[in-house]
Amino acid sequence: MKTFFELFKSYLQDTKSLQQYFELPILSCKINRQNRLMKITIQSQKYHNYDETLALELNIQREFKLNAVRVEFVYENIPFSAEYATDVFKLLKRDHPKMNGFLNGAECKFSDNILSIELKNGGLPVMREIGADKLIKDYINGHFQTNIKLDFQGITETTEQMLRDNVLSAVAYNPAPVPDAPPPLKNDVAYTPKNTNKKAPAPI
């Protein structure tokens, strides 16, 4: 399994901004050359919050002159905590803007392997219809190598006003270009290490 530095050392110009990630193992790296997109999955024993992840993506994007980058961390020996839920929501909402309004202000508690999400803006039926509940659960289980369950509480019903507010919020939300699951192309490049039992999480 190659480290970040071993995989990218031939391409690095400004090593200072990425140096703290040099020794981290790379679980997978997919590059779509035609659209200049990259998705990289990194194994880490330190938690990286939303702002750190976004800064790393922007640094890689600038360093390699790409259109968009997505970085995902798979955590080793870091149990999931409720305080990480807000970061998970932010990361998912970038690529799934329909989730945008319903999770705003949600409060989370984590106990007995159950993440309780207290909704403040309703929308549970819509979230389930668009598969947002599964996205949240799969993301946490894949990245923290666990098997949690979700329990939605609080304001779960959906009024017409809530739907209108969420649509307006989704329209106003303008995420970065998404490199996730690009169509297979002959000039795509993919790195997946051999002889490892670690699996990259499912695409977000």
Side-chain angles (χ1 to χ4, degrees), residues 44-48 75-81 84 143-145:
S44 178
Q45 296 191 15
K46 173 186 176 295
Y47 180 70
H48 302 271
Y75 295 109
E76 280 272 293
N77 304 317
I78 299 181
F80 179 74
S81 170
Y84 303 150
H143 292 74
F144 289 87
Q145 303 180 71

Side-chain angles (χ1 to χ4, degrees), residues 83-146:
E83 66 186 87
Y84 303 150
T86 300
D87 287 334
V88 171
F89 298 161
K90 288 180 180 179
L91 289 166
L92 287 173
K93 286 191 294 185
R94 295 188 308 166
D95 299 332
H96 304 279
K98 288 183 179 180
M99 296 172 57
N100 195 38
F102 295 127
L103 289 168
N104 289 351
E107 296 181 1
C108 298
K109 297 179 181 179
F110 186 61
S111 179
D112 298 326
N113 225 35
I114 297 175
L115 177 63
S116 299
I117 303 174
E118 184 175 351
L119 298 174
K120 304 296 184 180
N121 303 299
L124 181 57
V126 178
M127 290 179 64
R128 285 179 170 159
E129 183 177 343
I130 65 175
D133 52 339
K134 186 176 187 302
L135 284 170
I136 295 169
K137 185 173 69 173
D138 288 352
Y139 188 95
I140 293 171
N141 287 340
H143 292 74
F144 289 87
Q145 303 180 71
T146 185

Side-chain angles (χ1 to χ4, degrees), residues 12-203:
L12 294 173
Q13 300 294 325
D14 174 21
T15 59
K16 186 176 180 180
S17 61
L18 298 171
Q19 191 169 8
Q20 62 176 309
Y21 303 99
F22 279 180
E23 300 304 317
L24 297 184
I26 302 299
L27 296 179
S28 70
C29 180
K30 297 179 180 180
I31 302 173
N32 184 302
R33 286 180 170 174
Q34 177 170 308
N35 297 319
R36 303 194 64 78
L37 309 173
M38 175 189 286
K39 180 177 178 181
I40 178 172
T41 305
I42 305 173
Q43 184 177 312
S44 178
Q45 296 191 15
K46 173 186 176 295
Y47 180 70
H48 302 271
N49 63 31
Y50 173 81
D51 290 335
E52 291 173 325
T53 302
L54 187 61
L56 175 58
E57 290 177 345
L58 292 175
N59 284 333
I60 294 174
Q61 182 176 333
R62 182 178 62 249
E63 184 74 11
F64 299 155
K65 296 179 174 59
L66 299 170
N67 290 330
V69 175
R70 284 294 182 266
V71 172
E72 297 191 348
F73 288 99
V74 172
Y75 295 109
E76 280 272 293
N77 304 317
I78 299 181
F80 179 74
S81 170
E83 66 186 87
Y84 303 150
T86 300
D87 287 334
V88 171
F89 298 161
K90 288 180 180 179
L91 289 166
L92 287 173
K93 286 191 294 185
R94 295 188 308 166
D95 299 332
H96 304 279
K98 288 183 179 180
M99 296 172 57
N100 195 38
F102 295 127
L103 289 168
N104 289 351
E107 296 181 1
C108 298
K109 297 179 181 179
F110 186 61
S111 179
D112 298 326
N113 225 35
I114 297 175
L115 177 63
S116 299
I117 303 174
E118 184 175 351
L119 298 174
K120 304 296 184 180
N121 303 299
L124 181 57
V126 178
M127 290 179 64
R128 285 179 170 159
E129 183 177 343
I130 65 175
D133 52 339
K134 186 176 187 302
L135 284 170
I136 295 169
K137 185 173 69 173
D138 288 352
Y139 188 95
I140 293 171
N141 287 340
H143 292 74
F144 289 87
Q145 303 180 71
T146 185
N147 187 26
I148 72 161
K149 296 180 179 179
L150 300 182
D151 177 35
F152 289 94
Q153 302 175 356
I155 303 173
T156 57
E157 71 276 6
T158 306
T159 65
E160 290 185 7
Q161 183 61 45
M162 290 173 181
L163 283 173
R164 284 195 295 270
D165 290 345
N166 189 66
V167 168
L168 289 174
S169 180
V171 170
Y173 183 69
N174 186 25
V178 181
D180 196 78
L185 299 170
K186 291 181 179 180
N187 60 351
D188 278 5
V189 177
Y191 165 74
T192 303
K194 298 180 180 179
N195 301 323
T196 176
N197 294 323
K198 301 297 180 185
K199 294 182 179 180

